[in-house]
Amino acid sequence: MSINDHRLVQCNEKDKETLLIFKKGINDSSNGKISTWLTEKYCCAWEGVHCDNVTGRVTELDLHYQNLKGEINFSILQLEFLSYLDLSNNEFDMINIPATQHNITHASNLFYLDLSGIDLHMDNLHWITPLSSLKYLNLSGIDLHKETNWLQAVSTLPSLLELQLLNCKLNNFMTNPSIKYLNMSSFVTLDLSHNNFSFQLPNGIFNLTKDLNYLSLSGNNIHGEIPSSLLNLQNLRVLDLEYNQLQGSIPDGIGQLPNIQYLSLAGNMLSGSIPSTIGNLSSIQYLSIGYNNFSGEISEKTFSRLYNLDSLDLTESKFVFQFDFDWVPPFQLQYLSLSDTNQGPTFPSWIYTQKSLQLLQLSRSGIALVDRNKFWSLMERIKYVYFSNNSMTGDISNLTLKGRHIALDHNNFTGELPHISPMGVRVDFSFNFFSGSIPLSWKNLKHLHYLNLWSNKLSGEALVHLSNWKQLKSLNLGENKFSGTIPIKMSQHLEVVILRGNQFTGDIPLHIFDLSDMFHLDLAHNNLSGSIPKCVYNLTQMITISTIPYMTIGKFEWFTKGQEYYVDFINPNRTTIDLSANNLSGEVPLELFQLVQLQTLNLSYNNLIGTIPKMIGGMKSMESLDLSNNKLSGEIPQSMVLLNFLGYLNLSCNNFDGKIPIGTQLQSFDASSYIDNPKLCGAPLNNCTTNEENHKNATSPEDEDDDSIRESLYLGMGVGFAVGFLGICGSLFLIRKWRHAFYRFVDGVGDKLYVTLMVKLNRFHRNYAPGS
C-alpha cells in the first residue's frame, strides 16, 4: 500500500494517541522515519506505519534500522489490530512495560515481533504471555540472563512457529523436570545459539516436535553424545550444533535425514571415522565437520552422491585423504576449506575442476607442488584466496589476481608482485621473496583496507600510492628496502602503520599524528631525521579508552618489552609508538606524554635531548618504556613511581643525574635499565651517600680521567703479574682443582678490565666527540 493510499484513510484517534505515547520516549537523532510523525494529518501516512485500507486501524509498524535511541514503550502493544511489529537493530537503552500490559483486554492480533539487535537487558518475559497469536518471535541480542523461566513463558504461546533467542545470555535450558512444561510441538524454527547453556542433550528432546526444519544450538557448552532421537526430525533442513563440547561419533543413521541441506558439527570433540551413510545426504548443500578429532580415511566415495554440495569445510581434520588423481566430483563448490589438513606435497588435482569456487582455504596444508598453468588460472578467478604457510614457489608477476581477500604469506614466491584488481580489500604477501617495487597498477586499489608486505626484498618509493588508498586501515611494509619520504596525505582511517626496517628518510609528517583511529605506529629502524613534530596529537585511540569495537585481524609483528611477538590480531587497546633507531633529534614534545592510554613507547637509539617531563606520571597505562641511547638529561621525575603497570624500562646510555626515585616499580628493574648514566645513583645502582656526592663535586673531569687511567693501569699490572706468576710457577698447578680456580681468577680479572675500559671509552666518546 503506497503513502498516497494512506492519505485517503483517516486513522483511528485511539491508535494515533498510542503511537504518540510511543514516540515520546524516542530520540530520533538521525531524522529517520519517526521524525516525520505529526507532519501529516493522518497517522496512516506516517513513515513506518501501515493501516488497514478500509478501517484505518494500524496493522503494521516497521522501524528497523532507524538509529532510534531512548525508550521502547510497550504501550504500543495496546494497538488492537497490530499484527506486525519490527523495532530491530536500533539503539534503544530502556524498556518501559506498563502495568496494563499484563491485562490486555482485547485478543492480540500480533503474529510477528522482532526486537533483535538491540543491546538491552530484560528481567522477564511475562509481557509476552497475552500475545496468543504470536507466530514469529525474535529477541536475539537482548540480555535475558535474569529470566529463569523463559521456557515456561514461551510455552504459553500456542501458535508460535519460529523462536530466535540468539546471544541472549541464557544459562538454563532443559532438564528432565522442566520438559513437561515445554510445548514445542508446533515449532518450525528454533535458534538458541550462542548462549551460556551447559547440559547434555537428553535423548527425548527431539521427540517434542517432528515439524522442526531449523535447529541451531551452536556456540554453547553442550556436552555428551548426539542423541539418536535426532533421526526423528525427518523435516529438518538446517542442523547447527557447531562449537560445543559434543563427544562420541556421528550416528550412522545421519543419512536417514532426507531433507537436510545444512549440517554443521564443527568445533566439537567428535571422534571416529565419518559414517559412509553421510554420502546419502543428496540434498545437502553445506557440510562443515572440521575442528574435531575425526580419523580414518576419506575418499571420493564419501561424496559420490552429494550432487548439491556447495560448501565443504574440513578444516583442521586428521583424515587421510585418498582421492584418485583423475577424480571429478559430482558437485561444484563455491566454498572450500581444507586448511590445517595434510594435502601435500602436491596440490589436490580435483580442486582444479571446481569452476565456481569463490573461496578457497588451503593454509598450512603442506603444499609445495602445483600444476602451474592450472594453478595460476585458479588463483586469478577466486575472490577469497587463503594459501598461507605452505611451500609454494614461482614467479606470479604476470598474474592479475581478482580476489578481494588474498593471503599468500609464508611461502616461497619470487619475482615482482602480481597485479591486483581494483576490488582488492585485504592483501597479504608477507614472508616471501618478492622483489622490485610496488606495481603502478596498485594505485587503483581504492577499496584496500589491509596491506601486509612484511619481510620481502622489495624496494623503491613504496608510499607514492598511499594517498590513493583512502580506505586503508592497516599498512605493514616492514623489513624491506623501501625508500623515499613518508607522504603528507594518508588515509584518515589508518589504525596500524608499520614501516619498520626500511630506508625511509626525511621528517615525520605532522599529519601522522592527526589520525584519530591510529593505535599502532612503528617507524623504527629507518633513516628518519629532524625532530618529533610538536603539534596537537589527535590520536584519540591513545588518549581515551578505545572506541573501536573490533580487533584488527591480520598478521602483525609487535615489538614491546624488549621482545618481538607474532600475532594474528591487534587489540585496539594495545597502543604503541615506536620511533627507535632513527636519526631523530631535538626535544621530545610534551604532547607525546599526554597520550595517557599509550602502553608501549620506544624512542631509543636516536639523538634526542631534553628532560623527561613530570607529566609522564599520568601515562598510567604504560607497560613498556625505552628511552635508552639518547642524550636525555636531568633527573628522573618522581612521578614515574605512579606507572604501576610498567613491566619494561630502559633509560640506559643517557645523561640522567640525581637519585632514582624510590618506588616499588622503579626498584623492580635491575641495574641494566639505568647503566651508563654517569651521574645517576640510587637503587638498583650504587647508593647516593653524602661522601660520594661530595667526592663527585670535588672531582674535576681531568681527575676522573686520571683516576680512570690509574685504575686501568693497576688492573693491567695485576693481570701481568698473574700471567708472569703462572709462567714461573706453572708446575705448582698440576692439581686440577687448583688449576681451575686459577683460571677462573684470571678470567674474572680480564672481564673486569674489559668492562672498565669500555665504559670509560664510551664516556670519552660522548663527552669529547665532535659536535657534542
Side-chain angles (χ1 to χ4, degrees):
M1 187 183 301
S2 68
I3 293 178
N4 291 331
D5 292 333
H6 288 313
R7 286 175 178 159
L8 301 177
V9 181
Q10 182 171 353
C11 67
N12 180 274
E13 281 298 319
K14 183 179 179 182
D15 288 357
K16 183 177 182 179
E17 290 177 7
T18 303
L19 289 172
L20 292 177
I21 292 173
F22 173 76
K23 181 180 184 292
K24 282 183 180 178
I26 294 178
N27 173 17
D28 185 14
S29 58
S30 65
N31 294 321
K33 289 183 179 180
I34 205 169
S35 65
T36 65
W37 292 13
L38 286 181
T39 61
E40 298 285 348
K41 183 176 181 180
Y42 303 121
C43 67
C44 293
W46 292 349
E47 290 286 338
V49 178
H50 298 266
C51 297
D52 184 274
N53 199 32
V54 176
T55 64
R57 301 303 298 263
V58 175
T59 58
E60 296 184 17
L61 182 60
D62 186 353
L63 296 172
H64 72 286
Y65 278 113
Q66 292 299 307
N67 296 319
L68 301 178
K69 301 178 181 179
E71 172 188 271
I72 299 178
N73 192 327
F74 273 4
S75 63
I76 199 69
L77 298 177
Q78 297 292 330
L79 293 171
E80 296 181 47
F81 294 90
L82 186 66
S83 61
Y84 184 102
L85 177 59
D86 188 349
L87 303 177
S88 62
N89 295 288
N90 282 292
E91 300 178 22
F92 297 112
D93 54 19
M94 185 183 301
I95 296 178
N96 181 0
I97 304 177
T100 55
Q101 170 60 25
H102 300 296
N103 299 308
I104 294 180
T105 56
H106 61 83
S108 172
N109 291 296
L110 192 66
F111 75 86
Y112 184 101
L113 176 58
D114 191 346
L115 302 179
S116 62
I118 301 174
D119 188 12
L120 280 174
H121 293 260
M122 191 178 289
D123 292 344
N124 63 74
L125 293 178
H126 297 162
W127 55 273
I128 69 172
T129 55
L131 307 179
S132 57
S133 298
L134 205 60
K135 294 183 178 181
Y136 176 97
L137 176 61
N138 191 345
L139 303 179
S140 298
I142 293 180
D143 187 344
L144 296 174
H145 79 277
K146 291 185 179 180
E147 173 53 278
T148 58
N149 296 316
W150 65 273
L151 278 169
Q152 286 83 345
V154 169
S155 66
T156 63
L157 304 174
S159 303
L160 195 62
L161 299 176
E162 188 164 340
L163 176 63
Q164 297 193 42
L165 298 178
L166 162 69
N167 192 27
C168 289
K169 300 184 180 179
L170 297 169
N171 51 36
N172 64 317
F173 177 48
M174 185 171 292
T175 57
N176 288 330
S178 65
I179 289 179
K180 61 184 179 182
Y181 297 111
L182 181 63
N183 179 10
M184 291 172 53
S185 60
S186 63
F187 278 19
V188 173
T189 296
L190 178 61
D191 189 344
L192 300 176
S193 56
H194 299 282
N195 282 289
N196 299 323
F197 298 133
S198 181
F199 62 89
Q200 181 172 340
L201 284 173
N203 195 46
I205 179 176
F206 299 119
N207 292 326
L208 297 175
T209 176
K210 294 184 179 180
D211 295 326
L212 201 65
N213 62 42
Y214 183 106
L215 175 63
S216 178
L217 299 173
S218 65
N220 285 288
N221 191 31
I222 301 171
H223 53 275
E225 296 186 357
I226 299 174
S228 59
S229 62
L230 175 68
L231 307 180
N232 296 333
L233 304 178
Q234 293 293 296
N235 294 321
L236 200 61
R237 287 178 169 79
V238 174
L239 176 60
D240 189 354
L241 300 177
E242 67 182 18
Y243 296 102
N244 281 287
Q245 302 293 321
L246 295 171
Q247 297 174 310
S249 59
I250 298 177
D252 288 337
I254 192 76
Q256 300 175 22
L257 297 175
N259 297 308
I260 197 80
Q261 298 175 1
Y262 181 107
L263 174 62
S264 181
L265 304 175
N268 282 283
M269 296 185 290
L270 298 169
S271 57
S273 59
I274 300 299
S276 59
T277 55
I278 207 167
N280 296 330
L281 302 177
S282 58
S283 297
I284 198 164
Q285 299 174 13
Y286 181 99
L287 177 61
S288 177
I289 55 176
Y291 299 106
N292 278 289
N293 299 320
F294 293 125
S295 58
E297 290 187 0
I298 190 168
S299 68
E300 60 264 25
K301 293 180 180 179
T302 310
F303 305 102
S304 60
R305 298 182 60 191
L306 305 187
Y307 310 111
N308 295 296
L309 193 63
D310 178 78
S311 300
L312 177 62
D313 189 344
L314 302 178
T315 305
E316 201 172 302
S317 297
K318 299 177 182 177
F319 296 119
V320 176
F321 291 85
Q322 297 286 356
F323 294 112
D324 289 342
F325 182 81
D326 296 327
W327 178 53
V328 178
F331 48 73
Q332 282 292 320
L333 298 175
Q334 292 194 50
Y335 172 101
L336 174 61
S337 179
L338 296 173
S339 292
D340 296 285
T341 62
N342 186 13
Q343 298 295 320
T346 303
F347 190 90
S349 60
W350 69 268
I351 297 179
Y352 295 134
T353 70
Q354 302 300 293
K355 306 301 183 183
S356 300
L357 269 178
Q358 299 294 308
L359 184 149
L360 178 57
Q361 292 183 323
L362 277 170
S363 298
R364 297 171 298 278
S365 54
I367 294 176
L369 305 174
V370 299
D371 182 319
R372 294 191 180 277
N373 292 332
K374 292 181 179 179
F375 183 70
W376 299 157
S377 175
L378 181 72
M379 285 210 347
E380 282 193 311
R381 68 173 184 263
I382 298 178
K383 289 185 178 179
Y384 300 90
V385 182
Y386 301 95
F387 290 162
S388 305
N389 295 87
N390 285 288
S391 301
M392 298 181 183
T393 62
D395 184 339
I396 60 174
S397 59
N398 291 326
L399 298 184
T400 298
L401 304 181
K402 297 181 176 61
R404 292 175 60 82
H405 291 191
I406 305 169
L408 303 181
D409 57 283
H410 291 83
N411 280 284
N412 299 315
F413 290 111
T414 57
E416 296 188 354
L417 292 167
H419 301 284
I420 300 174
S421 79
M423 299 306 295
V425 174
R426 296 179 63 86
V427 177
D428 190 346
F429 292 150
S430 61
F431 291 99
N432 278 284
F433 298 94
F434 289 111
S435 58
S437 59
I438 294 179
L440 184 63
S441 61
W442 281 31
K443 70 178 181 180
N444 298 319
L445 301 180
K446 296 181 180 180
H447 301 283
L448 191 65
H449 282 190
Y450 170 89
L451 177 62
N452 189 352
L453 300 178
W454 176 276
S455 188
N456 280 281
K457 298 181 178 181
L458 297 164
S459 58
E461 296 194 10
L463 301 180
V464 292
H465 306 318
L466 191 58
S467 59
N468 292 334
W469 299 336
K470 299 185 184 302
Q471 302 301 317
L472 193 63
K473 292 185 177 182
S474 179
L475 175 67
N476 187 350
L477 305 181
E479 296 299 327
N480 282 284
K481 298 179 181 179
F482 289 125
S483 58
T485 59
I486 301 176
I488 297 175
K489 292 185 178 181
M490 305 173 75
S491 166
Q492 288 294 323
H493 303 290
L494 276 167
E495 299 169 357
V496 175
V497 175
I498 301 175
L499 304 181
R500 185 186 192 94
N502 281 286
Q503 299 169 8
F504 291 111
T505 57
D507 296 340
I508 300 175
L510 293 174
H511 178 71
I512 209 165
F513 294 105
D514 193 36
L515 301 173
S516 59
D517 290 338
M518 186 161 61
F519 59 85
H520 187 95
L521 175 63
D522 188 348
L523 307 180
H525 293 267
N526 280 286
N527 296 316
L528 299 172
S529 57
S531 59
I532 302 174
K534 295 182 178 179
C535 59
V536 177
Y537 282 25
N538 192 30
L539 302 172
T540 306
Q541 296 298 129
M542 301 186 187
I543 299 173
T544 60
I545 295 176
S546 176
T547 57
I548 296 177
Y550 53 83
M551 303 283 190
T552 297
I553 305 297
K555 297 179 176 65
F556 300 96
E557 294 66 32
W558 179 38
F559 295 82
T560 186
K561 299 183 180 180
Q563 301 289 328
E564 177 181 1
Y565 300 89
Y566 187 71
V567 295
D568 290 330
F569 59 85
I570 292 186
N571 188 326
N573 286 309
R574 307 296 305 181
T575 49
T576 298
I577 292 181
D578 192 340
L579 308 179
S580 61
N582 279 286
N583 297 314
L584 300 174
S585 57
E587 296 186 355
V588 182
L590 293 178
E591 291 83 358
L592 190 59
F593 296 97
Q594 293 175 351
L595 304 177
V596 294
Q597 291 299 323
L598 190 61
Q599 292 183 323
T600 295
L601 176 61
N602 191 346
L603 304 178
S604 63
Y605 290 94
N606 281 289
N607 296 301
L608 299 171
I609 61 174
T611 62
I612 301 176
K614 295 179 180 179
M615 67 174 62
I616 194 173
M619 305 178 77
K620 295 184 179 179
S621 296
M622 185 69 70
E623 297 180 4
S624 177
L625 176 63
D626 192 343
L627 303 178
S628 64
N629 292 277
N630 280 287
K631 298 178 181 179
L632 299 170
S633 58
E635 295 185 349
I636 299 173
Q638 180 67 33
S639 62
M640 281 189 65
V641 302
L642 300 175
L643 305 181
N644 295 323
F645 293 102
L646 198 61
Y648 179 85
L649 176 66
N650 193 349
L651 302 179
S652 65
C653 301
N654 278 287
N655 296 313
F656 293 119
D657 57 35
K659 187 174 183 180
I660 299 172
I662 297 176
T664 305
Q665 208 66 28
L666 297 184
Q667 269 66 51
S668 67
F669 303 104
D670 59 34
S672 64
S673 295
Y674 304 99
I675 60 171
D676 207 8
N677 286 283
K679 298 180 180 179
L680 191 64
C681 60
L685 300 177
N686 294 328
N687 290 329
C688 301
T689 63
T690 303
N691 291 335
E692 287 174 344
E693 290 173 354
N694 291 338
H695 176 73
K696 289 179 181 178
N697 292 335
T699 304
S700 66
E702 292 78 11
D703 292 334
E704 289 183 0
D705 289 340
D706 290 340
D707 291 340
S708 301
I709 295 171
R710 189 180 300 113
E711 182 179 357
S712 302
L713 178 61
Y714 289 157
L715 288 171
M717 291 173 63
V719 173
F721 174 80
V723 174
F725 180 79
L726 177 62
I728 296 172
C729 304
S731 59
L732 298 177
F733 292 94
L734 295 177
I735 300 175
R736 180 179 299 178
K737 183 183 297 184
W738 291 9
R739 185 167 68 251
H740 288 181
F742 176 74
Y743 288 158
R744 286 196 297 271
F745 166 75
V746 174
D747 286 343
V749 173
D751 288 344
K752 184 175 181 182
L753 177 60
Y754 173 78
V755 171
T756 302
L757 290 174
M758 291 305 297
V759 170
K760 301 304 178 183
L761 186 60
N762 285 340
R763 187 178 301 166
F764 174 82
H765 282 305
R766 188 172 57 251
N767 292 333
Y768 297 103
S772 62

